[in-house]
Amino acid sequence: MNTIQLIGHPDPVDVDSIVWLKGEANYTRIHCQKGTFILVTQPLHWFEQHLNFIRVHRSAIVNPVYVREFMRKKSRSGWVRLFDDTVVTVSRDRLETTALQLMLINRAKSVHAENGIYNLSSSINYLEADL
């Protein structure tokens, strides 16, 4: 089990239970799998360096394991929908990077599925709109 020790939090947190993170000035709100959250006094940048998550916005990082959909509107805006129907905005300057990272993760899932290691039912849906 991969865990992370958070400042001001007595117990280590399982990284796989973290769904997404929202930066709030020098604080980070960590949204967990069970619908709870933890507010810590660490900036979002620290998590970007220490977790293998995707930075989708200046104020948001998502755990790619929980991404269900990625939507892009004519390369101007986009969002990701998480497993619990939470929608997180993807900024314009991070659209291409986010799309690439999610495609690489999806491709890795496919390879593992072919080898009988991973359940492909959690693959990501990609949507494009001409709006």
Side-chain angles (χ1 to χ4, degrees):
M1 182 185 326
N2 192 11
T3 61
I4 189 167
Q5 184 63 50
L6 302 172
I7 294 175
H9 198 267
D11 301 319
V13 174
D14 180 11
V15 172
D16 293 335
S17 72
I18 299 173
V19 178
W20 72 290
L21 302 101
K22 178 163 179 55
E24 299 175 2
N26 287 328
Y27 296 89
T28 299
R29 185 177 302 265
I30 302 169
H31 294 266
C32 298
Q33 190 176 19
K34 295 178 181 175
T36 60
F37 69 87
I38 304 166
L39 188 64
V40 295
T41 58
Q42 288 172 292
L44 202 56
H45 179 71
W46 186 89
F47 292 96
E48 184 178 21
Q49 293 176 336
H50 291 86
L51 298 175
N52 195 19
F53 289 4
I54 299 173
R55 183 85 178 241
V56 295
H57 194 276
R58 181 185 61 185
S59 63
I61 296 175
V62 297
N63 184 340
V65 170
Y66 295 107
V67 174
R68 194 175 73 202
E69 287 181 341
F70 173 64
M71 171 67 153
R72 180 166 45 188
K73 297 179 184 176
K74 278 197 172 179
S75 300
R76 292 186 310 230
S77 65
W79 47 260
V80 292
R81 182 182 308 276
L82 304 176
F83 83 104
D84 62 355
D85 285 332
T86 299
V87 174
V88 181
T89 302
V90 178
S91 64
R92 276 183 291 176
D93 62 329
R94 297 184 191 271
L95 277 172
E96 291 301 320
T97 304
T98 299
L100 179 63
Q101 288 176 308
L102 289 173
M103 279 196 278
L104 290 172
I105 289 166
N106 223 20
R107 188 171 297 142
K109 287 180 182 179
S110 296
V111 169
H112 289 302
E114 288 172 8
N115 295 328
I117 299 171
Y118 197 86
N119 181 357
L120 193 58
S121 64
S122 62
S123 63
I124 301 164
N125 293 322
Y126 294 90
L127 307 169
E128 295 248 0
D130 293 329
L131 303 174

